[in-house]
Amino acid sequence: SAAERGTLYHKILERMPFTNVRTEADLLCYHESLVNSGRMTREEADCIEIDKLQLFLESPLAERIRSAACEGKLKREQPFVLGITTEESGGDYELIQGIIDLYFEEDDGVVLVDYKSDRVERPEELSERYRIQLTYYVQAIEQITGKRVKEKIIYSLHLSETILTE
């Protein structure tokens, strides 16, 4: 299913050693290592479109992620719990919990990256669909790091596109 395929892409990206996986050969080797280590079945691995991952690895965003990884400024799969009050809850206190795919620090702030595999026609669909989720992620990151989030990015695996959101 689409949800299962999205989970598989996340599984690959959450462990990907960005500093070592640059070429298609590196990616194929890493992909195979997930099967050999039992982290993914052969059937699951065969569902992945390697070319989509390769396009991501060739993107300027992936280069920024690599740089952050080399400097020890990359965080992945960061769990959080955030306390908020909303109009919908009548002003009551609610706990929001989640897991942030990835964020990294640059000299002038933090960059949030959320991978999406949704099959959409236009990037704006993802920006609107995940606007509130990204707002929570920003609040959590700023609480965790004490630093300003300067960019919110969705990387669409389906569109092979980096989407800078507002």
Side-chain angles (χ1 to χ4, degrees):
S1 74
E4 291 168 326
R5 183 169 289 126
T7 299
L8 292 175
Y9 280 108
H10 274 84
K11 189 185 288 190
I12 287 172
L13 291 166
E14 77 185 29
R15 298 179 187 271
M16 183 174 288
F18 286 104
T19 54
N20 297 330
V21 178
R22 293 174 179 266
T23 66
E24 185 177 3
D26 296 338
L27 178 58
L28 291 170
C29 185
Y30 169 66
H31 186 247
E32 193 60 29
S33 76
L34 293 173
V35 174
N36 293 338
S37 67
R39 291 189 179 127
M40 190 176 285
T41 66
R42 172 59 57 203
E43 293 77 25
E44 289 172 331
D46 290 345
C47 291
I48 299 299
E49 295 176 69
I50 293 293
D51 61 322
K52 297 283 187 190
L53 291 171
Q54 184 61 38
L55 285 170
F56 169 66
L57 288 173
E58 294 169 356
S59 72
L61 175 60
E63 191 55 43
R64 291 171 72 190
I65 293 169
R66 269 188 214 97
S67 292
C70 288
E71 295 173 16
K73 295 181 177 184
L74 175 64
K75 299 287 183 193
R76 294 195 262 191
E77 298 302 308
Q78 177 71 54
F80 71 90
V81 177
L82 188 64
I84 63 163
T85 56
T86 63
E87 289 182 27
E88 294 83 21
S89 67
D92 289 338
Y93 192 72
E94 288 186 31
L95 290 180
I96 305 290
Q97 61 182 5
I99 299 176
I100 300 166
D101 289 344
L102 181 149
Y103 67 90
F104 58 92
E105 291 181 39
E106 293 181 327
D107 291 340
D108 58 342
V110 177
V111 179
L112 162 65
V113 179
D114 197 35
Y115 306 118
K116 297 298 180 193
S117 58
D118 306 41
R119 295 197 180 277
V120 295
E121 306 242 345
R122 299 174 302 107
E124 298 79 23
E125 293 176 64
L126 292 174
S127 296
E128 182 54 35
R129 188 176 297 167
Y130 294 104
R131 183 180 55 78
I132 293 171
Q133 178 186 13
L134 293 179
T135 298
Y136 292 146
Y137 287 1
V138 166
Q139 290 176 14
I141 291 168
E142 290 180 345
Q143 250 181 21
I144 292 165
T145 66
K147 297 179 180 176
R148 180 182 71 85
V149 173
K150 68 174 189 165
E151 289 178 59
K152 297 181 291 185
I153 295 172
I154 294 174
Y155 186 83
S156 170
L157 290 154
H158 175 68
L159 298 173
S160 298
E161 189 170 331
T162 300
I163 304 160
L164 187 60
T165 67
E166 300 204 18

